[in-house]
Amino acid sequence: MEIGVLGPLVVDICGTSVVPSAAKPRQMLALLAVNAGVDVKVTTLTEELWDANPPSGPAGVVQTYVKQLRRAIALALGPEHERAPKDVLSRSYAGYVLNMPTYAIDAEVFQRLTARGLRSLAGGDDESASQLLGEALALWRGPVLADVRIGPALRLESLRLEETRRSALEGRITADLRLGRHAEVIGELLTLTERFPLEESLHGLLMLALYRSGRSWQALEIFRKLRASTVEELGIEPSLRVQQLHRAILAADPQLDLVVPSLAAF
């Protein structure tokens, strides 16, 4: 079973998709998929599907969706498969569980690669860090569950994965800066800082990349825009670390050509 959540939902069994077109069954399958191998309570499924406004007899509606999903699973398995649809989407004590003897989830692969990459970064192995984090980020096909309606439980999972993605991005860019790839990351950082106008770490990395590419005036302009945003939106000045980087760029501090900040540098 192949499961993909880093983009549109993918659940393939024996090479055949079992993702339904109807919104609610698709949403339920998404929640079961991100928790593959783990029991998901009917109460959790109900909250995800209807939040605070469940229909009358929600457990019966959930059971109807389960039957629809099992029919799709049966078609994917075929008549000769050793496992029955009820074995793949089985009833547990309090809910349901999606399970196969072997399955691969892109989110789990992404998290393993990210963890290894960040460890390499912390250990000073920048080549490995850049490669591992690049492989992790390449698994993303779009926003988490891009074609699925998101309820409370899936929203938490989406936020967690997006935050890990941001850490992987910052880590990979930091590794690339240490490897002297300043010009290569500027375009990516410009896009990211537009998307996250209050994210100081990304702005700090962009300022350093611009400075090292001989574009000090643009690095100073990035600080000016960041300061304007933080003052207007949050009513505060940028952090002391970013202000120190700003002063170092103004002074053309030679240390900026030698030291690349860690993830927590700003």
Side-chain angles (χ1 to χ4, degrees):
M1 181 163 56
E2 298 289 333
I3 296 174
V5 300
L6 304 179
L9 176 63
V10 174
V11 182
D12 288 353
I13 296 176
C14 301
T16 300
S17 173
V18 299
V19 177
S21 57
K24 291 294 186 184
R26 179 189 293 255
Q27 186 178 0
M28 190 171 86
L29 179 60
L31 184 57
L32 292 166
V34 299
N35 292 283
V38 178
D39 292 349
V40 181
K41 295 180 180 179
V42 171
T43 53
T44 302
L45 290 167
T46 300
E47 290 170 1
E48 172 62 29
L49 292 172
W50 296 287
D51 205 350
N53 299 295
S56 176
V61 181
V62 167
Q63 190 173 22
T64 298
Y65 294 158
V66 168
K67 290 178 180 177
Q68 294 176 17
L69 293 173
R70 282 176 176 165
R71 283 198 292 270
I73 291 169
L75 290 173
L77 291 173
E80 304 300 325
H81 201 281
E82 61 183 10
R83 293 178 69 83
K86 286 187 178 181
D87 297 326
V88 178
L89 177 50
S90 58
R91 188 75 165 92
S92 63
Y93 175 74
Y96 295 91
V97 57
L98 185 67
N99 205 358
M100 283 283 278
T102 59
Y103 57 86
I105 306 177
D106 59 358
E108 291 185 355
V109 177
F110 163 70
Q111 290 173 103
R112 286 197 297 270
L113 286 170
T114 297
R116 289 174 57 196
L118 293 178
R119 285 196 297 270
S120 294
L121 184 70
D125 187 351
D126 301 320
E127 285 285 1
S128 293
S130 179
Q131 180 178 346
L132 288 166
L133 294 170
E135 290 175 8
L137 293 165
L139 294 171
W140 286 72
R141 298 168 286 111
V144 175
L145 296 170
D147 58 350
V148 177
R149 179 189 175 276
I150 300 296
L154 287 177
R155 187 173 298 112
L156 289 175
E157 180 68 10
S158 175
L159 290 171
R160 183 181 68 82
L161 288 169
E162 289 288 357
E163 185 59 33
T164 306
R165 184 186 192 183
R166 195 177 306 182
S167 295
L169 267 170
E170 292 181 16
R172 201 221 74 229
I173 292 169
T174 297
D176 286 343
L177 280 172
R178 289 178 178 175
L179 293 166
R181 300 167 183 166
H182 321 305
E184 296 175 29
V185 301
I186 288 175
E188 183 177 18
L189 282 167
L190 284 168
T191 300
L192 289 169
T193 52
E194 284 294 322
R195 183 181 175 190
F196 303 108
L198 300 176
E199 192 67 46
E200 291 191 349
S201 58
L202 294 173
H203 284 77
L205 291 170
L206 176 56
M207 289 166 63
L208 184 62
L210 288 167
Y211 175 81
R212 288 188 169 184
S213 298
R215 297 158 67 177
S216 299
W217 68 271
Q218 286 180 285
L220 297 173
E221 178 63 13
I222 293 298
F223 175 81
R224 186 196 66 77
K225 289 176 63 178
L226 172 64
R227 182 178 182 276
S229 296
T230 57
V231 170
E232 180 179 351
E233 298 291 332
L234 306 176
I236 60 174
E237 295 285 336
S239 68
L240 180 59
R241 289 183 182 274
V242 177
Q243 292 184 52
Q244 289 173 338
L245 175 61
H246 177 245
R247 288 194 293 270
I249 291 172
L250 283 170
D253 188 337
Q255 287 296 312
L256 292 178
D257 294 317
L258 302 174
V259 179
V260 176
S262 67
L263 284 174
F266 301 107

